[in-house]
């Protein structure tokens, strides 16, 4: 019976339902579908995928990050919700500027970083840059006005080349790019980005780069047109040594052996010079390729802590990034020789740990003092009942102007700009870097002209000193002939169980600069 039914169905299918006409129609439909499918496949193969995110911004072939330059300056936040408010505020300010009456300054940063510490840093830097843009555009009707655009170099600055290549095309109308700020991490990628930008004649102002080899010097002018508002690692180390009155016989160095990180490499070199007479060889660790990764260094630090206890050392200099610094502090907190006190001195990466939830804060109350050389601190230039700021090297007035500017942009109509926090110093330094960029752009503009020649902006740095210094919120910015800040104020900050605490101002030269703030002649 089953076989009979099957035969019947096949008869009906091929003899009744499929007449010659139906077969022609069916064949035509099938051929049409095949043709459509072929065309669709060919189009997909031959038509490039649309990877654009916004004008000037796209996803590279090997990445889902939106990188490049938001050329329209209309508030694009690169898909980062925590940057949305400050990006929108910048967009509103840009919208009020008239074509041909502004110069553009770009802020180049890893805007899509996934590191919690870097995400905070980026937000604070954009807030500081915007506060200075807003202030500059209302400053005695000076010109040109300043337009701000955001440039994303991607996570770990991997896509710096795409952003820099775009920036180099924006020097003409309608953008009139005249300077790039940001440039905030001392890495190989950042060094190459600075080299390409300055090689193209574009002025660059670094915010928090401190590596000694991302700087110019006598007989070494690899980055013509580069200026920095933060002291070098060498200057930080000298300031810490003056502050701490370190006895090298009772000090040792712990440092990372991962090469290619210019912050760590140059900080290690600076500390090594200070500890030339130490009786102890350095204690070594090797961080992961991604210094933000936990890796296995926590185990290494547990062992190093035992060896530190075996020495007579009282002071430990640490040359490494903040993740490893936190692991080292946690290991020291669990040390076996808790009857002994230790002091850890390190560079500005210590500023990341103030809000790090993985830091063992009890360790900071158990005979362990951790001090770092900050780039700026909100208490450094504020007079209190127990502290009077130095008479030179900076001023309470300049810091007060910064506080007023930030307060203004934090609320409507200029803002909001997102949650603000000043303890890490990033907002303050970014504000000062933008101030230096604005100074260079306006000083390079010929009288009666609306815009400065591109090359002239990068030539302004040798004159930023003496009475022409930048009165920064972080301290005086008096540049030498190579764009480096001379004897810049270095706030020494202590990590505590509660919050980072400003301790004292330190100076690379051992004391504040003179009133004239003129760098001495260098050999």
């Amino acid at each position: 019976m089953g076989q009979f039914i099957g035969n019947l169905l096949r008869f009906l299918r091929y003899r009744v339902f499929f007449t010659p006409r139906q077969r022609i129609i069916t064949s035509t439909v099938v051929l049409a579908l095949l043709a459509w499918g072929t065309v669709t496949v060919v189009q997909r193969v031959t038509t490039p995928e649309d990877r654009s995110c916004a004008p000037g911004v796209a996803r590279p072939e090997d990445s889902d990050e939106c990188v490049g330059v938001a050329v329209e300056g209309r508030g694009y936040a690169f898909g980062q919700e925590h940057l949305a408010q400050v990006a929108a505020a910048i967009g509103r300010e840009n919208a009020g500027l008239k074509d041909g009456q502004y110069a553009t300054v770009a802020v180049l940063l890893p805007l899509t970083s996934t590191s919690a510490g870097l995400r905070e840093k980026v937000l604070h830097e954009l807030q500081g840059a915007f506060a200075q843009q807003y202030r500059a555009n209302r400053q005695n009707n000076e010109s040109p006005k300043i337009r701000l655009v955001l440039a994303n170099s991607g996570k770990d600055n991997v896509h710096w080349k795409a952003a820099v290549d775009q920036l180099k095309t924006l020097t003409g109308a309608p953008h009139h790019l005249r300077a790039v700020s940001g440039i905030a991490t001392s890495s190989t990628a950042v060094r190459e980005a600075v080299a390409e930008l300055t090689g193209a004649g574009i002025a660059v102002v670094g915010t928090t780069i401190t590596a000694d080899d991302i700087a110019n010097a006598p007989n070494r002018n690899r980055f013509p047109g580069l200026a920095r508002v933060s002291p070098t690692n060498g200057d930080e180390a000298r300031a810490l040594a003056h502050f701490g009155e370190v006895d090298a016989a009772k000090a040792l160095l712990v440092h990372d052996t991962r090469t290619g990180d210019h912050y760590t490499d140059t900080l290690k070199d600076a500390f090594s010079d200070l500890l030339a007479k130490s009786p102890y060889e350095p204690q070594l660790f090797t961080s992961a390729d991604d210094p933000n990764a936990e890796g296995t260094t926590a185990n290494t630090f547990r062992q190093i802590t035992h060896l530190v206890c075996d020495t007579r050392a009282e002071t430990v200099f640490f040359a490494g990034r903040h993740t490893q610094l936190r692991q080292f502090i946690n290991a020291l907190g669990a040390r076996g020789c808790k009857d002994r006190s230790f002091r850890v001195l390190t560079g500005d990466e210590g500023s990341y740990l103030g809000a790090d939830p993985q830091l063992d804060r009890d360790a900071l109350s158990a005979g362990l003092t951790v001090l770092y050389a900050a780039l700026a601190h909100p208490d450094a230039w504020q007079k209190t009942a127990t502290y009077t700021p130095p008479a030179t090297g900076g001023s309470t007035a300049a810091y007060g102007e910064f506080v007023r500017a930030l307060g203004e942009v934090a609320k409507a109509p200029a803002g909001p700009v997102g949650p603000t926090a000043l303890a890490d110093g990033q907002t303050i330094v970014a504000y000062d870097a933008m101030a230096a960029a604005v100074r260079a752009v306006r000083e390079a503009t010929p009288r009666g002209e609306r815009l400065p020649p591109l090359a002239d902006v990068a030539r302004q740095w040798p004159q930023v000193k003496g009475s022409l210094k930048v009165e920064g919120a972080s301290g005086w910015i008096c540049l030498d002939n190579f764009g480096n800040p001379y004897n810049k104020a270095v706030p020494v900050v202590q990590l505590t169980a509660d919050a980072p605490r400003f301790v004292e101002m330190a100076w690379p030269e051992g004391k504040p600069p003179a009133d004239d703030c003129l760098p001495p002649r260098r050999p």
Side-chain angles (χ1 to χ4, degrees), residues 232-286:
T232 62
N233 282 335
D235 279 354
E236 285 187 7
R238 291 194 298 134
L240 282 173
H242 287 304
F243 159 79
E245 299 179 346
V246 176
D247 180 359
K250 296 181 180 180
L252 63 81
L253 171 63
V254 175
H255 74 79
D256 198 344
T257 63
R258 178 176 57 86
T259 59
D261 185 327
H262 299 275
Y263 168 83
T264 298
D265 288 344
T266 57
L267 189 62
K268 175 199 70 176
D269 292 342
F271 285 163
S272 295
D273 290 343
L274 292 176
L275 299 181
K277 296 183 179 180
S278 171
Y280 307 110
E281 66 177 356
Q283 296 297 322
L284 312 179
F285 66 92
T286 304

Side-chain angles (χ1 to χ4, degrees), residues 108 164 167-168 180 183 192-204:
L108 177 63
V164 167
L167 288 169
K168 291 192 293 186
V180 176
I183 316 293
E192 296 307 312
V194 172
E196 284 222 14
L197 288 166
T198 55
I202 299 172
V204 173

Side-chain angles (χ1 to χ4, degrees), residues 181-336:
S181 187
I183 316 293
T185 55
S186 298
S187 65
T188 298
V190 166
R191 184 176 66 172
E192 296 307 312
V194 172
E196 284 222 14
L197 288 166
T198 55
I202 299 172
V204 173
V205 188
T207 52
T208 58
I209 50 171
T210 56
D212 293 70
D213 60 357
I214 310 180
N216 296 314
N219 304 316
R220 193 185 72 213
N221 194 34
R222 183 182 175 188
F223 313 103
L226 169 65
R228 302 149 46 116
V229 299
S230 296
T232 62
N233 282 335
D235 279 354
E236 285 187 7
R238 291 194 298 134
L240 282 173
H242 287 304
F243 159 79
E245 299 179 346
V246 176
D247 180 359
K250 296 181 180 180
L252 63 81
L253 171 63
V254 175
H255 74 79
D256 198 344
T257 63
R258 178 176 57 86
T259 59
D261 185 327
H262 299 275
Y263 168 83
T264 298
D265 288 344
T266 57
L267 189 62
K268 175 199 70 176
D269 292 342
F271 285 163
S272 295
D273 290 343
L274 292 176
L275 299 181
K277 296 183 179 180
S278 171
Y280 307 110
E281 66 177 356
Q283 296 297 322
L284 312 179
F285 66 92
T286 304
S287 63
D289 290 340
D290 178 359
N292 296 309
E294 295 296 318
T296 60
T297 42
N299 292 332
T300 305
F301 290 129
R302 179 175 50 79
Q303 299 173 67
I304 288 176
T305 297
H306 283 284
L307 299 177
V308 170
C309 284
D310 291 340
T311 71
R312 295 176 55 250
E314 298 173 352
T315 300
V316 180
F317 284 81
F318 185 89
R321 291 288 182 175
H322 63 274
T323 297
Q324 291 72 44
L325 174 61
R326 182 242 300 152
Q327 293 174 338
F328 182 54
I329 293 171
N330 290 353
L332 280 175
R335 66 191 183 278

Side-chain angles (χ1 to χ4, degrees), residues 311-442:
T311 71
R312 295 176 55 250
E314 298 173 352
T315 300
V316 180
F317 284 81
F318 185 89
R321 291 288 182 175
H322 63 274
T323 297
Q324 291 72 44
L325 174 61
R326 182 242 300 152
Q327 293 174 338
F328 182 54
I329 293 171
N330 290 353
L332 280 175
R335 66 191 183 278
C337 55
K338 287 192 176 179
D339 57 316
R340 293 176 55 194
S341 297
F342 291 94
R343 178 177 60 169
V344 175
L345 300 180
T346 191
D348 57 273
E349 281 274 311
S351 65
Y352 284 92
L353 299 188
D356 191 329
Q358 297 185 69
L359 178 67
D360 178 9
R361 299 185 183 281
D362 290 338
L364 302 172
S365 303
L368 179 62
T369 302
V370 180
L371 300 162
Y372 63 88
L375 302 181
H377 192 276
D379 295 334
W381 294 104
Q382 297 198 80
K383 181 178 173 59
T384 66
T386 57
Y387 171 70
T388 299
T392 61
S395 70
T396 56
Y399 183 78
E401 181 58 39
F402 157 74
V403 171
R404 285 188 291 274
L406 185 63
E408 191 168 0
V409 301
K411 60 189 179 185
V417 295
T420 60
L422 302 179
D424 63 5
Q426 306 296 326
T427 309
I428 302 170
V429 172
Y431 174 90
D432 285 355
M434 186 60 64
V438 172
R439 167 75 65 83
V441 167
R442 288 179 172 169

Side-chain angles (χ1 to χ4, degrees), residues 422-469:
L422 302 179
D424 63 5
Q426 306 296 326
T427 309
I428 302 170
V429 172
Y431 174 90
D432 285 355
M434 186 60 64
V438 172
R439 167 75 65 83
V441 167
R442 288 179 172 169
E443 290 294 338
T445 303
R447 184 170 297 180
E449 299 292 331
R450 290 184 174 181
L451 290 166
L454 177 67
D456 285 357
V457 178
R459 295 170 179 156
Q460 297 302 308
W461 308 131
Q463 285 72 54
V464 180
K465 63 186 67 170
S467 59
L468 300 177
K469 62 184 175 289

Side-chain angles (χ1 to χ4, degrees), residues 68-69 71 104 106 108 149 151 160-173 175-180 192-204 454:
V69 185
V71 292
T104 295
L108 177 63
V149 297
W160 70 267
K161 189 75 166 63
V164 167
D165 285 346
Q166 264 185 282
L167 288 169
K168 291 192 293 186
T169 69
L170 302 180
T171 58
H175 305 291
H176 304 295
L177 178 73
R178 289 297 180 268
V180 176
E192 296 307 312
V194 172
E196 284 222 14
L197 288 166
T198 55
I202 299 172
V204 173
L454 177 67

